[in-house]
Amino acid sequence: MDMDRLRHHLAGPVASINTPFFENDDIDYDGLRRFVDFCIEAGAGTVLFTPGDSLYSVLTEAEVAELTAFTVDVVNKRALFIASAGFWSTPQTAAFAEFARDRGADAVIVAPPDRGMTVDGLVTYYDAVSQALPAFILSAGLVSVGVRGALETVERLLDEVPGVVGFKEDFGPDFARGACARAHDKWVIFAGGQKQTHMDMLPYGCDGYMSTFIKFKPDVAHAYWAAIERGDLDAAADVIARYDMPFFDYLYNTFPAGGDAAQHAVLELAGICGRWRRSPLPDLSDAEMEQLKGFLTNGGML
């Protein structure tokens, strides 16, 4: 595996895929193509699926495989493409990694089912599922062993499992600081969620972050990253204060359907794909869409 290539493509804003649907619950493949094209043209070095953002909870395993194969073809080596397994058994996850490798994915994100694990069990799982394709850990998949057990797992994987190449942070700051300090010289690490998380991790070693703005207003993502690259943390913090904080506070505290529904709605307002999610997940109403449009316009985000 080419760690320099992975680190290069995961530095900066990363685009996680919000699976688009039609109002009738069908997957919107044309919308997905527009989404991927937009993110790559906007400068995202990596496009990836995750079980959360990509709404695996309302997808079948066959649909996950079909979406993976489709997206490999759309990306067409213009960016790094990381597939994602679901919270599946070891044999099923290993088989999916082989499938993703054979279709042309560059790596795979994996996490065990969250019903209690041991450190030994986690090491065995990650060893098995990383045989076919370089694997990134969803760090939330380590929660069941606690922060101390999670950091022990990281140390053992660094020593024992060469197929694990990094992690996406969604556990919490106590784990993130320790894991970054231990692993960043060998692993590629990117923050989930927001620029705030990336900035918190930066002193301990963090390459990039999953960006919402790269999906619809890339100027904001690039302004933050340019400040990080020149070491101007005051300017980076200003981008966070002006855009990230009000954006995520509004999206996640305004609409009964929740922040994920609002993120899908932003994509519709940007003309990329529809607001719809698969039932029973709710969507924003037309009136709420107008309210969201006003907020984004007034904030210089649309």
Side-chain angles (χ1 to χ4, degrees), residues 8 29 44 67 89 113 133 140-141 143 157 163-165 205 220 231 245 247 249 253 255 260 272 290 299:
H8 169 75
Y29 282 97
L67 283 163
S89 69
L133 198 59
V143 168
L157 293 174
V164 171
V165 295
V220 173
M245 288 180 174
F247 176 80
D249 179 68
N253 292 289
F255 305 107
D260 183 74
I272 298 169
E290 287 300 314

Side-chain angles (χ1 to χ4, degrees), residues 49-233:
F49 283 101
T50 68
D53 282 351
S54 306
L55 296 182
Y56 277 23
S57 60
V58 293
L59 293 170
T60 68
E61 295 162 14
E63 287 173 330
V64 170
E66 185 175 348
L67 283 163
T68 300
F70 178 86
T71 306
V72 166
D73 291 340
V74 175
V75 172
N76 194 27
K77 302 299 182 183
R78 294 177 294 159
L80 196 77
F81 172 63
I82 304 179
S84 178
F87 300 108
W88 301 331
S89 69
T90 302
Q92 185 177 358
T93 305
F96 176 79
E98 293 179 359
F99 167 82
R101 176 201 62 198
D102 292 344
R103 290 310 306 245
D106 296 292
V108 62
I109 291 174
V110 293
D114 185 17
R115 286 295 182 269
M117 293 288 294
T118 65
V119 171
D120 286 341
L122 286 166
V123 173
T124 299
Y125 166 83
Y126 287 114
D127 184 35
V129 302
S130 65
Q131 294 293 323
L133 198 59
F136 285 88
I137 297 170
L138 281 178
S139 65
L142 306 175
V143 168
S144 63
V145 295
V147 172
R148 182 177 296 179
L151 292 175
E152 180 186 347
T153 302
V154 168
E155 291 172 350
R156 287 191 54 188
L157 293 174
L158 287 165
D159 291 338
E160 302 173 27
V161 184
V164 171
V165 295
F167 69 89
K168 175 245 176 182
E169 167 50 22
D170 50 7
F171 189 159
D174 291 339
F175 167 79
R177 288 190 292 266
C180 289
R182 287 166 170 80
H184 188 242
D185 61 334
K186 294 182 179 179
W187 281 359
V188 182
I189 299 169
F190 58 103
Q194 305 173 27
K195 301 173 184 68
Q196 300 170 60
T197 305
H198 172 263
M199 200 166 183
D200 291 343
M201 294 167 63
L202 191 62
Y204 307 93
C206 184
D207 297 286
Y209 71 102
M210 283 170 40
S211 170
T212 300
F213 281 94
I214 199 69
K215 306 174 192 180
F216 75 98
K217 186 69 171 177
D219 289 353
V220 173
H222 290 304
Y224 171 77
W225 194 250
I228 292 294
E229 287 190 310
R230 65 177 183 265
D232 189 346
L233 298 187

